[in-house]
Amino acid sequence: MKLKYLILSSVLAWLPMTSAIAAGQVEVLHWWTSSGEAKSVKILKHMMEQQGHSWKDFAVAGGGGESAMTVLKMRAVSGNPPTAAQLKGHDIQEWGRLGFLTSLDSVAQQEHWDNVLSPVVANIMKYNGHYVAVPINVHRVNWLWVNPKVLKAVGVKVPTTLAEFFIAADKIKAAGFVVLAHGGQPWQDATLFESIALAVLGSADYRKAFVDLDMTVINSDKMVNVFRQFKHMKAYIDPQAEGRHWNAATEMVIDGQAAMQFMGDWAKGEFAQAGQQPGKDYLCVPAPGTQHQFTFNIDSLAFFKLKGTEADNIAQYDLAKTLLMPSFQRVFNLNKGSIPVRLDMDMSAFDQCALDSMTTFKQASLSGDLVPSFSQNLATTADVQSAIVDVVSEFFNQADSNPILAPSRLARAIKSAI
Ligand code: GAL
C-alpha cells in the first residue's frame, strides 16, 4: 500500500502542471507588431487561452527590439517585470547575471529539452547551466527578397554575387524602379551591412570581426572593401527611406514598386499575409555572395522571477512548455517565416524557402558557415553591438563618409565598448 502511494506520488510529480489546477495570467513583452508577426503571436495567445490562462499583450513596436528593451528595463527595475520577454543571445546572460530570471529546469527536464535542441542553441538559453529562456525559432538573416516581375520587366537575372547585383541594379534604376526597398533605421542599415560583410569577408573573418572582435580583421583592407560596397548600395535606395519600417519596405517589393530587399526571413510573414506564393509571386534567394552561409537569429523568451500568485506561476510554466511543443513550433514558424528550433520536426508543411533554410542551416553548421547575426544581437554584447550599429549607420547616412577611414573608426568604437 505504502509502495503504491509512493509510486503514485512520484508519477504525479512528473505530470505536467496544467490549467486544471488553476488559471493564471501571462504577460509577454515582444516587438512583433507587423501583420505577419502579429498573426504569429496570436497563435501563442490562443494556445495559452486554450489551457485556461489569460494573455496580457505587452507589444512595443520597433523591429530589432530597441524600444522594447528600454521599456523592459523600466519595468524590471521598478520591480514589476512581465512573465516573459523577448530577449536574445548575450542579453539573456546579462539579465541572468542581474538576478532577474527564473530557472526553467523542471519543465526542461520534463519535456526533454536537452534532447530536442541543438547544444549550441540550448547553451544560449542557459545561465550558469540552468535554463532561463526558451528558444522559439531560427531565422536566417542573409536573404534577398525579390519581385520576379520587376526583374523580368527589366530583363535582368537574379543576382548571385555583389558584382552581378550592381550590374542588375543600374538597369533596374534606369527603368524607373526603386532597386532596393530599405528602411532608414540604424538596425536595418546594420542588417544590410551584415550581409555585405558576410559576402566580402567570408565566414571565418566575419566571425573573427564580429564575434572575436579581432582588431586585425576589423581594421583591415578587406573591411575597407565591406564599407565601400555598403556605401555603393545607397545609390539604389529611394530618398523617402528615412525612418521607414522594415515591413513597409517589404510592402514595396510586394506591390512591385521596388525590386529587392535585404532582410531576414521574418519578411516572408508579410508576403504570406499579402497572399503571395514563394517561387511565383516572390523569390527568396541568399544575399548575393553568401549562398552557403547562414547568419542565424534565434528568437527566444526569457522568463522572469514573479511575485504573482501560484496560478500565475503555473501559467508561466505552461507558457514555457508550450513554446517548444511540436504543434506550436509548426504553426508559429509557418507564419513567422522562420524554421522550427526543435531538431525532430516534420517539415512536410513548410515551403521551399524554409526547406532551403533548413538545408543550409545543417550544411553550414558542418562547414563553419553558420555564424551569429550581430545586427540581431546574437554575436556580441549589447554594448558592442550598439557601438557597431552606430558607426555603420552614421557612415551610411553621411554623404561624405570615407570607406578608408571607417574601419579604424569601427575599431575605436568597439574597443571603447568592450
Ligand atoms: C528581429 C526579430 C525577428 C523579427 C524582426 C523584425 O529582431 O528577431 O523575429 O521580428 O526583429 O521585427
Side-chain angles (χ1 to χ4, degrees):
M1 186 64 195
K2 205 169 172 195
L3 183 68
K4 216 168 157 189
Y5 172 77
L6 272 178
I7 293 172
L8 183 67
S9 57
S10 61
V11 167
L12 280 177
W14 277 92
L15 279 179
M17 293 193 227
T18 69
S19 50
I21 300 170
Q25 185 188 64
V26 290
E27 185 185 22
V28 180
L29 175 103
H30 61 90
W31 60 88
W32 289 325
T33 55
S34 78
S35 67
E37 291 172 331
K39 190 167 174 220
S40 310
V41 172
K42 265 203 196 123
I43 293 157
L44 184 57
K45 173 177 187 262
H46 183 63
M47 284 185 81
M48 290 308 293
E49 286 170 351
Q50 274 182 333
Q51 295 172 69
H53 301 301
S54 59
W55 173 273
K56 191 168 171 198
D57 204 43
F58 188 1
V60 181
E66 207 181 318
S67 315
M69 289 304 102
T70 310
V71 177
L72 178 63
K73 279 177 200 151
M74 282 176 347
R75 278 285 302 269
V77 294
S78 67
N80 181 27
T83 312
Q86 202 183 337
L87 282 181
K88 293 197 276 190
H90 288 256
D91 278 353
I92 297 171
Q93 304 304 312
E94 196 53 38
W95 284 90
R97 213 170 3 255
L98 293 170
F100 282 105
L101 303 182
T102 191
S103 168
L104 301 171
D105 285 347
S106 60
V107 56
Q109 274 164 22
Q110 197 150 13
E111 299 295 316
H112 309 290
W113 287 357
D114 277 339
N115 299 341
V116 298
L117 295 175
S118 96
V120 178
V121 176
N123 285 340
I124 299 174
M125 304 301 137
K126 291 177 184 173
Y127 174 69
N128 264 348
H130 302 287
Y131 276 99
V132 290
V134 189
I136 305 173
N137 59 2
V138 179
H139 273 301
R140 185 184 188 185
V141 184
N142 57 315
W143 282 114
L144 183 71
W145 304 90
V146 179
N147 183 316
K149 289 190 197 84
V150 175
L151 263 57
K152 196 164 173 229
V154 179
V156 294
K157 283 204 302 228
V158 175
T160 59
T161 63
L162 283 169
E164 283 177 16
F165 177 90
F166 291 122
I167 292 169
D170 285 332
K171 293 187 181 155
I172 297 166
K173 192 174 174 182
F177 293 98
V178 174
V179 179
L180 214 53
H182 183 73
Q185 296 177 334
W187 77 271
Q188 292 188 65
D189 296 342
T191 304
L192 173 60
F193 177 85
E194 175 175 287
S195 280
I196 296 167
L198 188 67
V200 175
L201 298 176
S203 306
D205 277 353
Y206 171 98
R207 192 178 288 107
K208 279 190 196 155
F210 302 113
V211 181
D212 306 339
L213 308 178
D214 178 337
M215 291 299 153
T216 54
V217 178
I218 293 168
N219 216 342
S220 64
D221 288 348
K222 257 180 153 182
M223 194 63 89
V224 172
N225 193 16
V226 173
F227 277 100
R228 186 170 287 131
Q229 309 240 24
F230 177 50
K231 183 86 184 210
H232 194 172
M233 292 282 172
K234 190 82 182 173
Y236 305 108
I237 294 171
D238 64 305
Q240 282 81 45
E242 200 185 324
R244 178 187 289 141
H245 291 295
W246 68 270
N247 49 316
T250 308
E251 200 64 49
M252 292 168 68
V253 179
I254 291 174
D255 66 22
Q257 224 191 106
M260 300 177 266
Q261 180 187 18
F262 283 81
M263 190 47 65
D265 43 21
W266 45 91
K268 204 176 79 183
E270 304 308 296
F271 288 101
Q273 277 293 89
Q276 296 214 327
Q277 300 291 326
K280 182 172 156 267
D281 305 310
Y282 69 95
L283 309 177
C284 54
V285 296
T290 70
Q291 273 67 12
H292 307 295
Q293 295 161 287
F294 194 118
T295 30
F296 68 88
N297 172 25
I298 299 169
D299 282 314
S300 42
L301 292 186
F303 284 68
F304 284 79
K305 287 179 183 156
L306 294 181
K307 287 189 197 136
T309 62
E310 181 56 21
D312 290 342
N313 286 328
I314 292 170
Q316 186 182 49
Y317 180 102
D318 285 347
L319 175 66
K321 191 179 85 182
T322 304
L323 293 170
L324 275 175
M325 275 168 27
S327 52
F328 172 75
Q329 283 279 307
R330 197 179 74 89
V331 189
F332 180 87
N333 286 301
L334 278 172
N335 283 282
K336 187 72 171 62
S338 37
I339 53 173
V341 71
R342 279 184 76 113
L343 297 170
D344 58 349
M345 291 284 297
D346 169 11
M347 292 293 289
S348 53
F350 285 81
D351 64 22
Q352 199 54 45
C353 304
L355 297 177
D356 288 354
S357 179
M358 187 60 111
T359 306
T360 312
F361 181 76
K362 287 183 183 157
Q363 285 170 353
S365 58
L366 299 175
S367 64
D369 288 311
L370 181 67
V371 294
S373 159
F374 75 79
S375 70
Q376 303 304 314
N377 307 23
L378 265 293
T380 181
T381 62
D383 288 347
V384 172
Q385 192 238 5
S386 83
I388 300 173
V389 173
D390 285 353
V391 172
V392 162
S393 186
E394 197 187 307
F395 170 84
F396 199 53
N397 292 300
Q398 269 177 6
D400 60 350
S401 56
N402 183 344
I404 295 176
L405 304 178
S408 57
R409 192 165 279 182
L410 182 63
R412 271 202 308 280
I414 291 176
K415 274 187 201 151
S416 68
I418 291 176

